[in-house]
C-alpha cells in the first residue's frame, strides 16, 4: 500500500464550488505539505504543517485553506474554486528526524470549469 | 532566502548517451540538496540527496550528482540514459538545520530518443 495517499485522484468542478482534497499518510511523519504544480512553474508551496498544532502559509496560500485533523491527515480546501486553480496538487510528508527528504503522494488533478 | 535555478527547461538525448542536468542554488550556508524524478502521471520520487561528506553522491537508477560549493551547483549525471529515464527532474534545496522547508526548481523535462 502507498505510504502517502491522496483523494480524489481526479476532480472536475465548477467555478464557485467548494472542494476539499484529502491526504493521508502511514509514514508516521510529523511534517506535511501541500503543493501545486503548473507546467513550467515547478512546484509551489501552498501550506505546510510541522505538527498538528502548527500550520503555516506557503508562497501561494491565497484562495486556499487547510486542516490538520490528525498527524496522519492533512486536507486542502478551495472555498470558492476559480479556473486558475486548475492544476496538479501534491501532498508530501517529511520526517523531523530526517534530512529534509520529502515523500510525495500520487497527486490530484483538479479542473475548474 | 533560498532559491533554485534549473537553466534547462527541456533536454533531449539519445538512448545510451550521457546526461547532465544542471542545478544552481542560492543559500547562505551549506544546504541540503535533492534531486527528484517525476514520471508521467506519478508523484515525485527522490533520486539522491546531499547534506554532508563526500561531494559526489550516488542515487538510485544509476544517477549521481556532484556538489560544488564554489559554483553553487548540484548537477545530476548519468553515463548512459535508458528510454525509461524520460521524465521530469526537479532539483530542490533545503536548510541544513532541518527547521524549514525545501524550495524546488522549475524542473527539466528529459526526452529520450531511440
Amino acid at each position: 500500500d502507498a505510504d502517502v495517499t491522496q483523494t480524489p485522484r481526479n476532480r472536475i468542478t465548477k467555478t464557485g464550488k467548494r472542494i476539499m482534497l484529502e491526504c493521508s499518510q502511514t509514514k508516521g511523519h510529523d511534517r506535511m505539505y501541500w503543493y501545486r504544480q503548473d507546467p513550467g512553474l515547478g512546484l509551489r508551496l501552498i501550506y505546510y504543517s510541522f505538527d498538528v498544532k502548527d500550520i503555516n502559509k506557503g508562497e501561494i496560500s491565497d484562495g486556499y485553506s487547510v486542516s490538520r485533523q490528525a498527524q496522519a491527515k492533512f486536507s486542502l480546501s478551495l472555498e470558492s474554486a476559480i479556473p486558475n486553480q486548475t492544476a496538479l496538487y501534491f501532498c508530501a510528508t517529511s520526517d523531523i528526524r530526517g534530512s529534509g527528504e520529502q515523500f510525495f503522494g500520487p497527486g490530484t488533478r483538479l479542473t475548474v470549469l | 532566502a533560498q532559491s533554485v535555478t534549473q537553466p534547462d527547461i527541456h533536454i533531449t538525448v539519445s538512448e545510451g548517451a550521457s546526461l547532465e542536468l544542471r542545478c544552481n542554488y542560492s543559500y547562505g550556508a551549506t544546504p541540503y540538496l535533492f534531486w527528484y524524478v517525476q514520471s508521467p502521471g506519478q508523484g515525485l520520487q527522490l533520486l539522491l540527496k546531499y547534506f554532508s561528506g563526500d561531494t559526489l553522491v550516488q542515487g538510485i537508477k544509476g544517477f549521481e550528482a556532484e556538489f560544488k560549493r564554489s559554483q553553487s551547483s548540484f548537477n545530476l549525471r548519468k553515463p548512459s540514459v535508458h528510454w525509461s529515464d524520460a521524465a521530469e527532474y526537479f532539483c530542490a534545496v533545503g536548510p541544513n538545520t532541518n527547521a524549514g522547508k525545501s524550495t524546488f526548481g522549475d524542473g527539466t523535462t528529459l526526452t529520450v530518443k531511440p
Side-chain angles (χ1 to χ4, degrees):
Chain A
D1 288 340
D3 295 317
V4 184
T5 57
Q6 293 183 233
T7 56
R9 293 294 311 277
N10 289 282
R11 181 71 183 268
I12 300 174
T13 191
K14 294 183 178 180
T15 297
K17 294 291 187 181
R18 182 180 188 276
I19 186 167
M20 179 180 287
L21 308 183
E22 299 187 349
C23 176
S24 294
Q25 54 114 346
T26 58
K27 300 191 73 66
H29 290 167
D30 287 319
R31 298 179 173 186
M32 298 187 73
Y33 311 81
W34 275 105
Y35 294 92
R36 67 177 278 176
Q37 183 180 30
D38 299 276
L41 295 180
L43 288 166
R44 292 183 291 168
L45 184 63
I46 306 172
Y47 271 95
Y48 62 104
S49 170
F50 280 179
D51 65 42
V52 174
K53 296 181 180 179
D54 178 67
I55 304 288
N56 304 281
K57 292 182 177 180
E59 57 185 301
I60 56 161
S61 59
D62 288 348
Y64 302 94
S65 62
V66 292
S67 174
R68 185 84 183 264
Q69 301 95 322
Q71 185 202 42
K73 296 185 181 296
F74 193 36
S75 299
L76 176 71
S77 293
L78 288 67
E79 296 300 327
S80 179
I82 57 176
N84 78 359
Q85 291 178 313
T86 294
L88 187 55
Y89 290 84
F90 286 105
C91 174
T93 73
S94 68
D95 185 353
I96 191 172
R97 297 157 296 180
S99 55
E101 172 188 356
Q102 294 187 28
F103 297 83
F104 285 81
T108 294
R109 185 165 296 281
L110 176 66
T111 302
V112 184
L113 301 175
Chain B
Q2 61 198 37
S3 65
V4 177
T5 301
Q6 293 181 244
D8 304 304
I9 297 172
H10 195 173
I11 283 184
T12 299
V13 299
S14 298
E15 190 168 16
S18 64
L19 171 70
E20 183 171 33
L21 301 183
R22 296 183 291 165
C23 172
N24 294 100
Y25 69 89
S26 174
Y27 186 71
T30 301
Y32 289 176
L33 293 160
F34 310 88
W35 274 100
Y36 292 86
V37 60
Q38 182 184 22
S39 298
Q42 305 291 320
L44 280 71
Q45 178 187 19
L46 184 74
L47 280 175
L48 47 78
K49 61 186 177 183
Y50 170 81
F51 51 93
S52 67
D54 193 345
T55 56
L56 184 63
V57 294
Q58 303 296 321
I60 62 172
K61 305 184 181 185
F63 286 91
E64 66 178 27
E66 187 171 12
F67 170 58
K68 292 186 177 180
R69 185 192 307 274
S70 62
Q71 299 177 19
S72 296
S73 69
F74 188 57
N75 294 348
L76 182 71
R77 301 193 295 249
K78 187 170 185 178
S80 178
V81 169
H82 188 262
W83 64 266
S84 60
D85 293 325
E88 189 160 18
Y89 292 80
F90 293 93
C91 182
V93 60
N96 60 9
T97 62
N98 202 26
K101 56 196 186 303
S102 294
T103 298
F104 288 79
D106 290 343
T108 297
T109 299
L110 173 65
T111 298
V112 180
K113 294 191 301 184

